[in-house]
Amino acid sequence: MKVLVAVKRVVDFNVRIRVKADKTGVETANVKMSMNPFDEIAVEEGVRMRESGVATELVAVSMGSKACQETLRTALALGADRAILVETDVELQPLAVAKMLKVLVEREKPELVILGKQAIDDDCNQTGQMLAALLGWPQGTFASKITPGTGTIDVTREIDGGLETVGLKLPAVVTTDLRLNTPRYASLPNIMKAKKKPLDVVTPEALGVDPAPRLQTLKVEDPPKRKSGVKVASVQELVQKLRTEAKVLR
Ligand code: AMP
C-alpha cells in the first residue's frame, strides 16, 4: 500500500523558546528548526512499513515556507521515496493544512496517512482529526502500536489509564504518539542520496485551497516566572511553613 506522511518544520525541541517583544508570537528568526518530533515518529513508522514490504511507496508532505524543503530532505534521507512541498508564506493553521492534505490525498491515493498527534509549536492536536473528517475516513489517533492487516489496520491507542486497540478499515488516518517507535538518525550516505530523490513543489492556489488563517492570535505570553525558594533549617520548620504559609497541611 502507498503511505503518505505529513511533516512539519517547527522550532527544535531543544531550543529555549523566546516570546517576541510585541507578544504576537514566538521568535523564529535565527532559531534552529527541525522536523516536529511526532512527525519523525510518523516517518519512522512509514519507513519500517516500507522496509518490511507492507508499504510500496512512502511520500512525505510538508506545507509552509521554502525552508520546509530541508525538513522534506530529512524525511527523504530517513527513507521516504519522494516528497511534496506546498509552498506558502501564509501562516498555516490546522484546517488549511487538512484541506490541502485532502486534495493531495485525492491526487496521490494513499491507503494510509500518518501524521504526528500534535505539532510542538502550536500544540493544536487537530490536523489528523480534521483530515479524517474531511475525507470521511476512519482515524486512529495517539497510536502506540500499528498492526497492518489485509485491507485493515489495528491501532493501539494510549488512553487514560490503559491502552485501547481499534480496528480501522483502510484507507485510514493515523496519528503517532511518543511510544510508537524510536526514530533512527539519517546516515551520511542516505543524506547524500536524498538530494537526488524527487521533491515536487506546488502552491495552495494550485490545490484550490485558500490557506488564509481563520483564527487570529491575540497574544502570546511567557509562563509566569517561578518564585525563588527558601531554605528551611529543620523538618519542623518545613511542616510549619507548609501549614501556615503554603496552607497545604492542616
Ligand atoms: P497540529 O494539529 O497542528 O498539532 O499538527 C498535527 C500534525 O499535523 C503534525 O504532527 C503534522 O504531522 C501535521 N501538520 C500540521 N501542520 C503541518 C504542516 N504545515 N505541514 C505538514 N504537516 C503538518
Side-chain angles (χ1 to χ4, degrees), residues 6-8 36 38-39 61-64 92 94 97 101 114-119 122-128:
V7 295
K8 185 176 187 186
N36 181 43
F38 291 105
D39 304 350
V61 177
S62 191
M63 298 174 186
L92 293 177
V97 174
L101 279 173
I114 315 178
L115 303 92
K117 79 164 177 184
Q118 88 193 54
D122 59 21
D123 276 343
C124 277
N125 176 1
Q126 293 171 353
T127 311

